[in-house]
Amino acid sequence: MTAWSLKARILSDSLLSNLDPVSLARVIGAAQEVAYQAGETIFRQGSPADSVYLIQSGIVCLDLPSGRQVTALEGRFGEDAICDIPRYICTARALSDIVVIKCPLASFPNRNTLAREFKANTILSLGSSLAADNLAITDATPSKQPALASSTEIIGWFMCLLVPIFLYQQAIINLLPKQVAIFLALLSAGLIMWVFRLVDEFIPPLILILSALFIGLVPQEIALSGFSSSSFITLLGVFALSQAISSSGLSYRFVLWLLKKLPNRPIFQETALLAAGYSLSPISPSANNRLALVLPLFRDMRESLSLQKTNRSATALMAACFSGSMLMAAMFATSRSASISALEMISVQVRDQFSGIYWFAAAAVAALVLTLLHFVFTRWLFFDSTQNQLSKQRITEQLGVLGKINNREIVAIVCFFLFIIGSSTVSLHHINPAWLSGLVLIILLLTDSLSKDDFQKKIDWPMLVFLLGIDCLTRIMHHLGIHNLLSNYMSENFNFVHGSVEIFVVTALGITCALRLILPVTAGMLVACIMLIPLAELNGIHPWICVFLSALFSDIWFFPYQCSSYMQIRSAGLHHEFNESSFLIYNRLIDMGRVAAAFVSLPYWRWLGLL
Amino acid sequence: MSRLSTIEIKILFLFGLVALLSYFNSDKPRIFILHSSDPDIAFVQEFDSGTLRSLANNRLPISLKRHYLSLNRVHHKRDEVIKRTMAMHALRQFDPNLVITFGEDSNILISQVYEKQQRPDIVYSGILNPNDYYKSSSNKKIFGVRGGVPLDALKELLTEIYRDQTIKVSVVGRDNAAARATLKEISSYSWSQFRVQKAALFLYFDDLKSFIQSANQSDTNLLLVLNYAGLRDATTDEEISDREVVRWIESNSKSLPLGLQRNFVSDGASLAIEASRHEIGRQTMQMALDWLQSSRSRDMTPQSSINKHFDVAMRQDLLEKRGITLPMIFIEQARRSGQLF
């Protein structure tokens, strides 16, 4: 048989032809033609499953353990090997003189790296052989046709090239230094990528940093300084702790425990969901992650309580679920990764003071106001006289299935308290919270609470790169003196602030909301900080207040696309399980509550000496 | 026209971006620094650290290349020609907008290479000859920082040492372009109570020894050593180590040997004074950067400047042996620059 016909046979196979080209080439390279005489055994049941066979000519019979005999369909048998089954389930015999192509298992890629569709098809193929029935094999062949760019994409990419050139020329005409003109041009390209959602959020900062290095705009120690800052360790530690808490099952156990302990009345059911989100806030720097952890509970509770879409209690539960994940996002330095990055923009003293529990202490009034408003609005909008009851028995059973608290959960609890207590007692031990975060990371890695695989796959590396990239861009702007230009611009155009913190709050609200119309939440908050910090400094307003307001107001949204957490609910199809319009009204009220919380906090900040 | 795919449009963007960045890169001002000496020589390193100080405050993107002629160790004409050819090749390849030269040999080389050209702009640093010496008939954008011997400071230092005595000076050094220019500068300076009795430049150590022994017989009371690196043995033609030369001078010269290079003291002598190479480097680079920033928008006339900063190096024990005590201000100056031994 020629190599060409061997290749043709493998390529004509409905299963193997769906392998990726590199794997396919390997299989063709290792495959060999083998001939068997009638009655000869090809492999026996229980022998090591080490090859897949393609029938070139003849008939093969499979003797199943039940004694049943079937003829190999589809011209293929021995799929046990690529289904990760160590030994053949049946015996294969030649019914006539046959020629087969033997494809050794060693030439196939690791099953973990195979495409999901291919893995499903291997199981279907094995099932088909054993059942002697042609079970449907899904078409796993990916479309060879590359996706066509939408009009928005085409416009966006062309703007990415043309706007920077235009902006550069305008900057030079306006006698801005050349280096500033170049950076502004590059920055505009990054902003357009964000606005048009042309690439993932973390890619534009990388493009900007590398472009700046490419043309020698800044020395590499400045351009890459964000990656050597303490934020890197802080974020890494917090991401790792968040991952350990969720993957160990600790967070789910805690929420079930809360539901079991709290009285079985709607207000307490809602409170349990709210508390679950709140309790995750200090250690989970992503609202989406927090929401992902509590959304299954919403679904469980809704089903357990048999709530209909029109039922106000269902909407109240979703409001508690959503607000639990969102309301505390601005209240801790570690509950939003952008807050950790924003701290890098302010002086070392302020950063050290606010990177621990003091952030929460300063935000406590706002947190209290928002929590109270949540209860007021939910009682007002979603009050239901029906007293729906959760099945406590079911919760107890769920906890029973989880069993006793395991070692991974214990390590996660220890790390959680180590981080929280350590961050709040910096004045006693004088250890930077960033290094405590690093210690937490080491404990998790040493105790295998965070495996190598988790470290590779479950740490949000793109978000980490994005945040540190933004930090780098801020430092580049400082190096080039752009913050001075920005400061001058802000002082000239926002001189109406006149040192009034009330006007500053309104200005921060306007700038942040305007930016959030075009930028995603993290980028929006950080760009707002970049603009507002010079204005705060000019008006003698504490820079932390500026960072806090940016964090607080960046959660305000008018359109669903602005809020990834809400999009998460929609994409999970949960928006059919509550009254969406009532929920949106609630959300508008909470947004107004954020503004109120900022104003109510002012006397408290004065008392703390921040104003 | 068929619709572009996402990947095609991304590739188009990438090409555009790389083209624009490459254009910016090629449009960046290019500065070429040409040194006469080795990069491991102290005053060259001082000059380089001065240029880096100015560059640290610079925000204008520039390309910078340094080239070292290393003529201080060359003794054969053939090697000298090779070194010059290599420098010219590097210059042609880099095609600089502005050339900074440091050292008389590189100054002369550049003035010859670009004599008939309007470009590049040239900044001579540490120039020893009068400005006209470097002028080109076609290139008007030539300027520099004068920085030979800090003669005013030297005069003040000697006045402190010798008070009302008449100072009879012998001047000696290794023969090269810089030494010749320095000697010329010293000879033409108004010294009042100083008299330059004898002056000579040599290639061989034995000649220098004879000169100093002959000076010992006369009534000179100061030996001014312009430079000494690269002196050779007359019989073997081998280079004598700097340290050996300096130690011989220090132990055999009856009159106070005073070096005009700072490493004269680190090599074993008692006292040296030199123009601050760090400051010359800083001034030169600042001048070049200012010029690049301003020349794009206005037609400015290049301005030259004179470096008045200097460094002192001394060994107090050797000076005390000769019965010399310097004012505290000089001792402090040496200590601050790490040159008090």
Side-chain angles (χ1 to χ4, degrees), chain A residues 332-513:
Chain A
F332 296 93
T334 49
S335 54
R336 171 175 284 148
S337 35
S339 301
I340 301 171
S341 277
L343 278 177
E344 286 290 327
M345 298 179 195
I346 53 186
S347 69
V348 180
Q349 289 81 0
V350 180
R351 192 188 315 159
D352 288 348
Q353 187 183 6
F354 284 91
S355 52
I357 202 73
Y358 194 71
W359 179 302
F360 178 66
V365 168
L368 195 65
V369 169
L370 278 177
T371 307
L372 285 174
L373 287 177
H374 163 78
F375 282 112
V376 170
F377 294 149
T378 48
R379 297 303 285 170
W380 176 40
L381 289 171
F382 312 125
F383 179 73
D384 191 349
S385 54
T386 323
Q387 295 292 311
N388 300 302
Q389 300 266 307
L390 264 179
S391 166
K392 292 272 180 179
Q393 177 63 29
R394 185 164 145 180
I395 293 169
T396 310
E397 280 168 7
Q398 280 179 287
L399 278 168
V401 169
L402 287 180
K404 281 190 176 176
I405 195 158
N406 61 38
N407 287 344
R408 288 185 66 199
E409 288 173 274
I410 292 170
V411 173
I413 292 170
V414 169
C415 289
F416 172 74
F417 283 107
L418 175 73
F419 185 64
I420 294 291
I421 296 170
S423 302
S424 55
T425 53
V426 172
S427 57
L428 295 177
H429 53 69
H430 304 288
I431 300 170
N432 188 323
W435 314 143
L436 286 172
S437 181
L439 181 64
V440 164
L441 175 68
I442 289 169
I443 293 172
L444 293 172
L445 288 170
L446 285 180
T447 55
D448 278 339
S449 297
L450 190 74
S451 65
K452 184 185 170 189
D453 201 43
D454 287 343
F455 192 70
Q456 278 178 331
K457 294 177 185 164
K458 294 187 178 169
I459 298 278
D460 193 351
W461 291 105
M463 178 55 82
L464 202 62
V465 169
F466 168 75
L467 293 165
L468 299 175
I470 292 284
D471 191 8
C472 293
L473 292 181
T474 313
R475 288 165 198 251
I476 292 174
M477 288 170 75
H478 269 264
H479 181 79
L480 295 177
I482 293 174
H483 67 297
N484 289 333
L485 292 173
L486 196 62
S487 178
N488 292 341
Y489 173 82
M490 297 299 278
S491 65
E492 281 170 19
N493 294 280
F494 289 82
N495 50 10
F496 54 82
V497 176
H498 280 308
S500 160
V501 69
E502 287 80 8
I503 300 175
F504 182 78
V505 171
V506 176
T507 309
L509 176 69
I511 288 177
T512 312
C513 289

Side-chain angles (χ1 to χ4, degrees), chain A residues 64-142:
Chain A
L64 301 181
S66 62
R68 197 160 58 91
Q69 293 186 336
V70 294
T71 308
L73 292 172
E74 288 279 331
R76 183 191 327 110
F77 60 98
E79 297 94 333
D80 321 41
I82 50 173
C83 287
D84 265 7
I85 299 170
R87 293 177 186 282
Y88 287 114
I89 296 169
C90 57
T91 299
R93 279 184 299 111
L95 280 186
S96 61
D97 288 355
I98 62 161
V99 177
V100 293
I101 295 171
K102 185 179 179 183
C103 306
L105 174 63
S107 63
F108 285 84
N110 186 304
R111 191 167 166 82
N112 290 336
T113 62
L114 289 171
R116 198 173 159 209
E117 292 85 355
F118 185 83
K119 283 199 271 191
N121 283 343
T122 56
I123 294 166
L124 282 173
S125 171
L126 178 64
S128 300
S129 296
L130 300 180
D133 192 1
N134 200 352
L135 305 175
I137 292 185
T138 55
D139 180 17
T141 316

Side-chain angles (χ1 to χ4, degrees), chain B residues 50-76:
Chain B
T51 59
L52 289 175
R53 201 170 130 204
S54 283
L55 284 170
N57 299 321
N58 170 54
R59 297 294 176 263
L60 180 74
I62 56 163
S63 293
L64 181 76
K65 187 176 171 70
R66 295 174 198 272
H67 187 92
Y68 301 87
L69 268 174
S70 305
L71 291 180
N72 54 316
R73 302 284 179 198
V74 169
H75 300 286
H76 300 292

Side-chain angles (χ1 to χ4, degrees), chain A residues 99-304:
Chain A
V99 177
V100 293
I101 295 171
K102 185 179 179 183
C103 306
L105 174 63
S107 63
F108 285 84
N110 186 304
R111 191 167 166 82
N112 290 336
T113 62
L114 289 171
R116 198 173 159 209
E117 292 85 355
F118 185 83
K119 283 199 271 191
N121 283 343
T122 56
I123 294 166
L124 282 173
S125 171
L126 178 64
S128 300
S129 296
L130 300 180
D133 192 1
N134 200 352
L135 305 175
I137 292 185
T138 55
D139 180 17
T141 316
S143 167
K144 298 279 189 283
Q145 199 65 28
L148 289 180
S150 66
S151 309
T152 317
E153 271 183 297
I154 294 173
I155 293 169
W157 283 114
F158 275 103
M159 280 180 75
C160 272
L161 276 180
L162 300 177
V163 170
I165 296 170
F166 173 76
L167 208 66
Y168 173 78
Q169 284 177 333
Q170 288 302 308
I172 293 294
I173 290 167
N174 287 299
L175 296 179
L176 281 175
K178 188 176 179 183
Q179 60 274 19
V180 174
I182 294 171
F183 186 76
L184 290 180
L186 288 173
L187 193 64
S188 68
L191 285 173
I192 291 166
M193 283 184 218
W194 277 328
V195 171
F196 284 83
R197 294 347 187 229
L198 297 176
V199 286
D200 283 333
E201 208 175 30
F202 73 101
I203 298 176
L206 278 182
I207 294 178
L208 299 192
I209 292 166
L210 289 171
S211 299
L213 286 170
F214 193 93
I215 56 173
L217 191 63
V218 281
Q220 71 178 55
E221 54 272 23
I222 301 287
L224 302 174
S225 53
F227 291 94
S228 61
S229 68
S230 58
S231 293
F232 174 67
I233 293 293
T234 308
L235 288 166
L236 198 55
V238 170
F239 281 156
L241 182 57
S242 160
Q243 180 52 40
I245 284 178
S246 65
S247 66
S248 66
L250 179 65
S251 51
Y252 195 67
R253 181 192 294 277
F254 173 70
V255 174
L256 289 176
W257 177 83
L258 262 184
L259 289 173
K260 188 182 172 190
K261 294 294 173 191
L262 285 172
N264 203 350
R265 299 210 322 260
I267 179 76
F268 289 106
Q269 291 153 6
E270 291 159 31
T271 306
L273 283 183
L274 189 77
Y278 275 20
S279 61
L280 291 170
S281 296
I283 42 89
S284 177
S286 157
N288 295 71
N289 284 355
R290 295 193 289 269
L291 195 60
L293 288 171
V294 289
L295 275 181
L297 294 166
F298 163 77
R299 191 169 272 173
D300 290 351
M301 287 170 79
R302 199 190 68 81
E303 282 170 9
S304 170

